[in-house]
């Protein structure tokens, strides 16, 4: 394997076992960063059960491809990373970041569906639901803010493990609010 093979974005990987493992490591790192905000290679290794060298390598590769960036820190050897801040890079980067986030959410959901039977019995269910409501843009923003406020009491448990009740596990909380657009003639041709 050449350096170009290692540095090729995962969606372009040829599909060998090693490349698939790299994809898994990078996906796990991106998911972890989405959950906790910032992480060092050592922290990632501890949480994901990989070596710190492997995590360090893949964090650098994710940074090289523009998915993450170094987080501000006080110096020293610790090198914290975070997801790249899209707002500083304009609307196109924000759209790409949103696509990446939704892709990670979808991948996590698919992993859940295929591995649900391996979870402890009390965790073998999910609370997936959807609804359609007629809202104005302002109401849609208010609904999103209500959801954020409802989740706020649980957000600090990642950084404060002692605040977690016994039996607590990380749970993906995904909400997507978007307007339903009318079907076009192109949509009818695809059906």
């Amino acid at each position: 394997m050449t350096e170009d093979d290692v540095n090729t974005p995962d969606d372009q990987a040829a599909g060998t076992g090693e490349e698939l493992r790299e994809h898994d490591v990078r996906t796990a790192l991106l998911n972890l960063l989405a959950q906790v905000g910032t992480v060092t290679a050592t922290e990632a290794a501890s949480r994901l059960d990989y070596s710190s060298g492997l995590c360090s390598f893949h964090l650098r590769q994710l940074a090289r491809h523009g998915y993450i960036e170094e987080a501000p820190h006080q110096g020293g050897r610790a090198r914290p990373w975070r997801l790249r801040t899209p707002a500083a890079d304009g609307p196109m980067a924000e759209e790409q970041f949103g696509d990446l986030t939704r892709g990670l959410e979808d991948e996590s959901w698919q992993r859940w569906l295929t591995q649900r039977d391996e979870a402890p019995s009390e965790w073998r269910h999910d609370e997936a639901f959807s609804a359609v409501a007629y809202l104005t843009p302002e109401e849609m923003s208010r609904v999103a803010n209500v959801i954020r406020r409802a989740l706020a009491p649980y957000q600090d448990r990642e950084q404060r493990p002692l605040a977690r009740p016994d039996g607590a596990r990380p749970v993906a909380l995904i909400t997507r609010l978007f307007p339903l657009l009318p079907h076009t003639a192109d949509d009818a041709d695809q059906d």
Side-chain angles (χ1 to χ4, degrees), residues 46-120:
S46 173
R47 291 171 182 267
L48 300 175
D49 201 28
Y50 293 124
S51 74
S52 60
L54 182 69
C55 289
S56 177
F57 172 78
H58 286 292
L59 286 165
R60 289 191 314 272
Q61 294 308 309
L62 288 167
R64 181 173 180 223
H65 291 288
Y67 293 113
I68 67 172
E69 63 190 3
E70 268 193 76
H73 60 286
Q74 300 297 324
R77 289 185 53 143
R79 189 176 186 186
W81 298 92
R82 66 181 180 194
L83 292 173
R84 199 165 120 220
T85 308
D89 299 322
M92 183 57 133
E94 192 169 325
E95 181 178 319
Q96 289 172 340
F97 180 76
D99 291 345
L100 171 66
T101 302
R102 283 184 290 285
L104 290 171
E105 292 165 355
D106 292 341
E107 186 172 319
S108 294
W109 173 249
Q110 291 303 315
R111 186 179 311 115
W112 161 248
L113 292 176
T114 60
Q115 297 177 354
R116 176 181 5 208
D117 293 339
E118 299 169 23

Side-chain angles (χ1 to χ4, degrees), residues 115-191:
Q115 297 177 354
R116 176 181 5 208
D117 293 339
E118 299 169 23
S121 60
E122 67 272 16
W123 283 101
R124 288 187 188 154
H125 71 283
D126 57 61
E127 299 290 340
F129 62 90
S130 65
V132 174
Y134 285 79
L135 305 171
T136 66
E138 294 79 18
E139 290 170 325
M140 187 170 79
S141 293
R142 281 200 305 265
V143 169
N145 287 330
V146 166
I147 294 168
R148 286 186 191 98
R149 283 194 306 272
L151 298 176
Y154 310 100
Q155 297 295 314
D156 71 336
R157 290 182 179 178
E158 180 62 39
Q159 302 302 321
R160 296 183 36 231
L162 295 177
R164 299 176 200 159
D166 288 340
R169 289 184 154 205
V171 173
L173 306 164
I174 301 166
T175 304
R176 296 178 183 172
L177 286 80
F178 56 92
L180 296 175
L181 301 175
H183 291 283
T184 65
D186 291 340
D187 293 336
D189 292 341
Q190 294 176 5
D191 291 338

